[in-house]
Amino acid sequence: KINGFKTTITHREREIFDDRIFTEDPATLQDLGHRYGISRERVRQVEKGIIIKIKTYFENEIPDFHNLSQHSASGL
């Protein structure tokens, strides 16, 4: 499902997803900002947008995702 999601976002979003969200050693907002010529705040905003998009994608692609996400949020 992750690879399917990655086809729905822009190249820059994919790189931020790979380098910041979906990694064991995330790049800093500053490093990504320098790479793309944008501010740390803008990278943070893009990151937040990616998280919203992936949640929506999973809600549409995975049956009962809403129930699963509620359990993980409650510590189960």
Side-chain angles (χ1 to χ4, degrees):
K1 296 290 182 189
I2 294 291
N3 287 332
F5 168 70
K6 288 168 67 172
T7 66
T8 69
I9 57 179
T10 68
H11 178 73
R12 180 172 77 176
E13 288 172 327
R14 264 191 312 278
E15 288 190 355
I16 291 172
F17 177 81
D18 288 338
D19 294 343
R20 177 105 176 128
I21 299 169
F22 200 64
T23 183
E24 289 185 29
D25 186 25
T28 66
L29 295 172
Q30 186 69 43
D31 288 342
L32 292 170
H34 281 302
R35 183 184 308 172
Y36 295 108
I38 58 178
S39 69
R40 292 178 308 206
E41 175 60 18
R42 182 65 189 131
V43 175
R44 189 196 64 74
Q45 292 168 355
V46 171
E47 179 182 46
K48 183 178 179 181
I50 294 166
I51 292 168
I52 291 167
K53 287 179 182 182
I54 197 167
K55 182 178 178 190
T56 301
Y57 179 82
F58 284 160
E59 285 172 345
N60 291 326
E61 293 292 318
I62 300 173
D64 298 326
F65 177 78
H66 182 72
N67 293 334
L68 293 171
S69 64
Q70 283 182 332
H71 289 299
S72 64
S74 65
L76 297 176

